[in-house]
Amino acid sequence: MKEQLANIRADALAAFEEAKDALALDALRVKYLGKKGELTAVLKQMGKLSTEERPAMGQLANEVRAALEQAIARTAQRLEQAALEARLCSETVDVTIPGKSPIIGHKHPMYIALDEIKDIFVGMGFTVLDGPEVELAELNFDRLNAEEGHPSRDWSDTFYLDEDSRVMLRSQTSPMQVRAMDTMPLPIRIIAPGRVYRKDEVDATHSPMFHQVEGMVIDKGVTMADLKGTLNLMVENLYGKGTVTRFRPHHFPFTEPSCEMDVQCHKCGGAGCPTCKGEGWIELLGAGMIHPNVLRMANIDPEVYSGWAFGMGLERTAMRRFKIADLRLIFENDVRFLEQF
Ligand code: PHE
């Protein structure tokens, strides 16, 4: 029996050396160590041995088993290593093949315009605020001096979210004026960009959702001259030095006096052309001196403090900046269009 075990050991170790791959090695494992394997067959004869012989033979059998198991593990590792090396040799990398360049998007033209606007105002010490698109009618209207019955409060113009017309999708970024007055210490210099919603049909110049940038300054001794100076500076930064503006009287409930600012048409230089619909001017924003009632409702004394505010359409600014003719292009996200900027 001792001899049998020695033979098995020698045969098996030699066979393992010869194994070509993992499959062959596994077959050998079954052949020697499996339930019907050669070593198992020898062990089954242990019962025939005398009680004196059995312990020594048992120990030898265990040694042989351990030796075979170790050899199998070693061989498996060797085969794995060899397989890896073979693969590395066969799968060479051709570093001269041109790489696949990943498609990286870029900023949307409207956000390019917005970032320019932010830069201009941050450079003048303004803080950029973000606010909710679902807004209280109280902040969108009442606190902005637009009393009950004001035409913009009508259900045909505004998306209300409840029966009592108290919660709505903001129709302008102007409620951010109120939110700033309620939360920030004076003096205040803010801009607040964001989405606004109105019940408009989609066409080349209208969309039920669009973007505005609100701007506001409140301090002691602030005048209309500051408003005009700041807006002219913004326009020159956006559209180039020497861009001509004009301020027309207008009406907003929350500013007094109120105005609209136009920019001279970039296409015709003011002569009148299709881009400016023959006007020579393009309307850019509404603005004015903050109404004393609005300051009072925010517990700011209009005898001590004054301020100005403006609200500009962001799509319109981007359209003028990049000479885009149709508002719908801004929202359709057609890559062929977006790639041009
Ligand atoms: N909120 C006004 C609008 O949507 C614009 C505006 C803002 C006017 C601030 C004056 C002051 O038309």
Side-chain angles (χ1 to χ4, degrees):
M1 189 175 233
K2 205 170 171 179
E3 209 170 297
Q4 262 180 311
L5 285 171
N7 284 341
I8 289 174
R9 179 184 192 143
D11 287 355
L13 291 182
F16 294 162
E17 283 301 314
E18 299 282 294
K20 287 272 179 292
D21 53 32
L23 215 66
L25 181 64
D26 198 54
L28 289 172
R29 186 186 57 75
V30 175
K31 179 169 186 247
Y32 291 105
L33 296 174
K35 267 204 188 109
K36 291 179 185 147
E38 293 185 17
L39 185 64
T40 320
V42 174
L43 291 178
K44 277 183 188 152
Q45 297 163 26
M46 291 283 264
K48 292 180 194 154
L49 295 177
S50 67
T51 11
E52 296 86 59
E53 282 175 310
R54 219 176 280 159
M57 213 44 81
Q59 196 188 349
L60 183 63
N62 280 335
E63 277 170 24
V64 171
R65 167 179 288 278
L68 295 197
E69 280 170 352
Q70 267 175 27
I72 288 175
R74 263 200 317 274
T75 310
Q77 212 174 13
R78 173 173 63 76
L79 290 174
E80 214 172 286
Q81 189 66 34
L84 180 67
E85 262 157 38
R87 232 180 63 213
L88 287 177
C89 287
S90 65
E91 295 176 5
T92 46
V93 178
D94 182 352
V95 292
T96 64
I97 294 175
K100 286 182 194 156
S101 46
I103 300 166
I104 299 172
H106 62 87
K107 254 188 247 168
H108 188 284
M110 200 178 63
Y111 281 88
I112 298 175
L114 175 57
D115 284 349
E116 286 177 2
I117 294 168
K118 281 185 187 172
D119 276 351
I120 295 166
F121 281 98
V122 167
M124 293 190 280
F126 283 61
T127 303
V128 182
L129 293 188
D130 198 15
E133 289 165 34
V134 174
E135 185 54 283
L136 296 172
E138 187 194 344
L139 271 68
N140 195 97
F141 294 126
D142 302 85
R143 293 282 306 273
L144 288 168
N145 206 33
E147 70 291 350
E148 216 61 60
H150 191 274
S152 64
R153 303 187 70 139
D154 203 280
W155 273 69
S156 62
D157 288 341
T158 299
F159 292 102
Y160 286 103
L161 301 179
D162 63 340
E163 298 275 314
D164 311 327
S165 313
R166 288 168 64 169
V167 185
M168 57 182 286
L169 297 179
R170 64 179 176 186
S171 62
Q172 50 186 354
T173 44
S174 300
M176 288 308 291
Q177 292 183 31
V178 180
R179 287 180 178 272
M181 288 184 230
D182 284 353
T183 55
M184 297 173 75
L186 294 165
I188 297 174
R189 279 182 200 79
I190 56 118
I191 59 166
R195 291 196 178 91
V196 301
Y197 302 83
R198 289 180 197 175
K199 285 189 178 165
D200 283 329
E201 295 292 337
V202 176
D203 65 24
T205 52
H206 291 88
S207 159
M209 184 280 297
F210 58 103
H211 296 71
Q212 286 187 332
V213 182
E214 195 78 9
M216 181 180 78
V217 167
I218 303 177
D219 203 346
K220 289 175 182 161
V222 172
T223 71
M224 192 95 182
D226 299 312
L227 171 65
K228 289 178 76 172
T230 309
L231 290 179
N232 279 332
L233 202 89
M234 173 188 78
V235 165
E236 291 209 320
N237 272 294
L238 275 181
Y239 300 125
K241 273 239 166 303
T243 306
V244 181
T245 56
R246 84 176 172 189
F247 293 79
R248 278 179 293 105
H250 200 76
H251 171 79
F252 298 105
F254 39 90
T255 46
E256 182 59 36
S258 303
C259 62
E260 280 190 331
M261 186 184 79
D262 303 333
V263 196
Q264 202 164 60
C265 179
H266 55 276
K267 268 271 167 67
C268 61
C273 71
T275 301
C276 57
K277 299 194 186 91
E279 302 265 321
W281 298 90
I282 296 172
E283 180 199 315
L284 208 64
L285 55 82
M289 299 305 293
I290 299 172
H291 198 292
N293 286 350
V294 174
L295 292 174
R296 247 180 249 118
M297 281 186 273
N299 291 317
I300 297 171
D301 185 351
E303 299 297 328
V304 182
Y305 284 96
S306 58
W308 54 251
F310 71 84
M312 69 195 279
L314 197 49
E315 284 81 1
R316 199 175 285 180
T317 308
M319 284 167 76
R320 199 195 126 87
R321 169 82 173 65
F322 295 111
K323 305 182 173 52
I324 299 166
D326 194 317
L327 172 68
R328 285 167 287 201
L329 289 167
I330 294 197
F331 299 124
E332 278 165 359
N333 286 335
D334 185 329
V335 177
R336 290 167 304 177
F337 165 76
L338 295 175
E339 270 172 354
Q340 299 171 45
F341 305 98

